[in-house]
Amino acid sequence: MARVRTVRSLGVVGLVLAAAVSAGCSGSGSGSSSPSTASSGPVSSSGTPTAAGASPAPTESNPPGDIPDNQAYVAFQPSGGGFTVKVPEGWARTGKGGTTVFTDKLNRVEIATASASAAPTVASVDSQVVSQLRGQVPKFSGAKVSQVNRHAGSAVLLKYQGDSAADPVTGKVVRDAFERYAFYRQGHEVDLTLSGPVNADNVDPWRIVTDSFAWK
């Protein structure tokens, strides 16, 4: 009986060892067939890995009222002739009487012609035009009058600020900066007024327009 029990015990041990060896082989096989992969960095929206620490390029935009540096200009000449001036290409144009206006978003170029018996001066603009605009432009302020030179010759420059008309859709009012140039020759006066938001940097575009003015 003792011998029978010993044989049976050895048989059980053998079965247990065989099962353990089989399980070990199975586990190592499944591990080698499914190797883990490490990510090389963040993944873009398209699924392509991107370099670690890289960030997308910022979206650039012009401040409100800034005229793009690549803005093109075209020559404008009134139906009666007399002068030409370059205005931004593609801007909306309206006209009434001797006044023509070009607008785009928050910017505006107004060209007004009139007969005048004498050339405007710093004193005449300060005493007459300033008081007139004060009654027409909402919250008119900061009037400064000076004499400047452009390619067409001398002009009287009036700088001031005022509120724009309320946007018909949003009702928003913008604080505008104005530059009014008065050119004169032989009884003819041309007032060239440029305006846009106070914080806009349109020094170069406005210089292009005013330097382009030429008598014909």
Side-chain angles (χ1 to χ4, degrees), residues 19-206:
V21 171
S22 175
C25 293
S26 175
S28 62
S30 62
S32 61
S33 64
S34 302
S36 60
T37 57
S39 174
S40 60
V43 179
S44 67
S45 59
S46 62
T48 305
T50 60
S55 58
T59 301
E60 297 182 3
S61 62
N62 292 320
D66 270 18
I67 299 174
D69 293 337
N70 61 353
Q71 172 66 56
Y73 299 82
V74 294
F76 164 74
Q77 182 172 340
S79 57
F83 68 90
T84 61
V85 62
K86 288 184 178 180
V87 296
E89 184 178 26
W91 286 23
R93 173 181 170 179
T94 57
K96 183 178 181 181
T99 301
T100 304
V101 177
F102 295 88
T103 56
D104 179 69
K105 300 180 179 70
L106 301 176
N107 295 301
R108 189 172 187 268
V109 175
E110 178 181 301
I111 306 167
T113 61
S115 298
S117 58
T121 63
V122 171
S124 67
V125 171
D126 191 30
S127 62
Q128 300 173 20
V129 178
V130 170
S131 60
Q132 181 182 9
L133 292 174
R134 196 181 302 278
Q136 297 175 346
V137 180
K139 296 184 179 180
F140 178 92
S141 68
K144 294 181 180 179
V145 188
S146 62
Q147 190 163 346
V148 297
N149 289 317
R150 289 296 185 263
H151 287 171
S154 178
V156 179
L157 169 61
L158 168 60
K159 291 185 176 183
Y160 60 95
Q161 293 185 7
D163 283 359
S164 69
D167 185 280
V169 177
T170 66
K172 184 178 181 180
V173 174
V174 177
R175 188 67 176 168
D176 282 340
F178 295 79
E179 293 184 8
R180 178 186 182 274
Y181 294 79
F183 295 92
Y184 177 86
R185 190 180 74 166
Q186 300 175 354
H188 299 284
E189 181 174 338
V190 177
D191 298 325
L192 183 58
T193 304
L194 319 169
S195 62
V198 168
N199 293 326
D201 181 12
N202 288 330
V203 174
D204 291 339
W206 289 163

